Amino acid sequence: MYGLIGKLKAVPGQRDALISILLDGVSGMPGCLSYIVAQDPADADAIWITEAWDSRASHEASLSLPSVQAAIAKGRPLIAGFEQRIETSPVGGHGIGTTA
Amino acid sequence: MYGLIGKLKAVPGQRDALISILLDGVSGMPGCLSYIVAQDPADADAIWITEAWDSRASHEASLSLPSVQAAIAKGRPLIAGFEQRIETSPVGGHGIGTTA
């Protein structure tokens, strides 16, 4: 499996709008086992995204999906920056969904 | 929802053993929506755990479960230290399982 843990900052005041776009864009991504979007309670503009995929290739392919391309285009103006991006190798657990 | 992102370090050479203990201990935790254990590909001793719970209270209650107590007792000697602990407020996504 392939995993990502990322922290991004929204443009001030735009976190909820950006989260809505992220959540709209992530349904039906082939190979996506988990994709959870969270607010950072300690930082009013910060968002954490934790992801698990069946492979790195599935994650990379997702970036070309029309739904994801549309979310990127819509969300980009609301992103102030990326603060962390950690790649992981998930090995198991609870809540690892079925693909797509 | 309540979330945690944590990084811990295993005693050198004990990462796989510690991961097995963690995975054994996390089935059937009431209120647990996601609990994913991952290796850090950039650090041979590091483990990332990402969690989503229906509430902070469910997470706290889990620490008293016999299965979790047993995992803590068994795993503690294999833990070298905790490097990060980030609390989050998950709002949605894919792979948020059913409780327990």
Side-chain angles (χ1 to χ4, degrees):
Chain A
M1 284 185 273
Y2 175 73
L4 284 170
I5 297 170
K7 181 185 186 183
L8 59 85
K9 296 290 290 271
V11 169
Q14 297 299 314
R15 180 168 75 173
D16 288 348
L18 180 55
I19 285 174
S20 291
I21 292 166
L22 289 168
L23 293 177
D24 282 348
V26 301
S27 61
M29 297 190 291
C32 181
L33 307 175
S34 180
Y35 190 106
I36 298 177
V37 179
Q39 298 168 335
D40 187 327
D43 181 340
D45 300 320
I47 298 169
W48 290 91
I49 304 173
T50 54
E51 307 173 41
W53 296 81
D54 62 357
S55 68
R56 178 196 289 262
S58 289
H59 171 257
E60 285 171 3
S62 77
L63 301 176
S64 301
L65 294 171
S67 58
V68 174
Q69 286 282 324
I72 291 170
K74 206 168 159 192
R76 189 181 282 129
L78 307 186
I79 298 172
F82 295 87
E83 292 208 341
Q84 285 205 52
R85 185 178 189 277
I86 300 149
E87 292 186 306
T88 72
S89 300
V91 289
H94 173 68
I96 297 180
T98 50
T99 174
Chain B
M1 283 185 275
Y2 175 73
L4 284 170
I5 298 170
K7 182 185 186 183
L8 59 86
K9 296 288 290 271
V11 170
Q14 298 299 315
R15 181 167 73 174
D16 288 350
L18 180 55
I19 286 175
S20 292
I21 293 166
L22 289 168
L23 293 177
D24 283 347
V26 303
S27 62
M29 296 189 292
C32 181
L33 306 174
S34 179
Y35 190 106
I36 298 176
V37 179
Q39 298 168 334
D40 187 327
D43 181 340
D45 300 321
I47 298 170
W48 289 91
I49 304 174
T50 53
E51 307 173 42
W53 297 81
D54 62 358
S55 68
R56 176 196 291 262
S58 288
H59 170 258
E60 285 171 3
S62 76
L63 301 176
S64 301
L65 294 170
S67 58
V68 174
Q69 286 283 326
I72 291 170
K74 206 169 160 191
R76 189 180 283 128
L78 307 185
I79 297 173
F82 295 86
E83 293 209 340
Q84 285 204 53
R85 186 178 188 274
I86 300 150
E87 292 187 304
T88 71
S89 301
V91 290
H94 172 67
I96 297 180
T98 50
T99 173

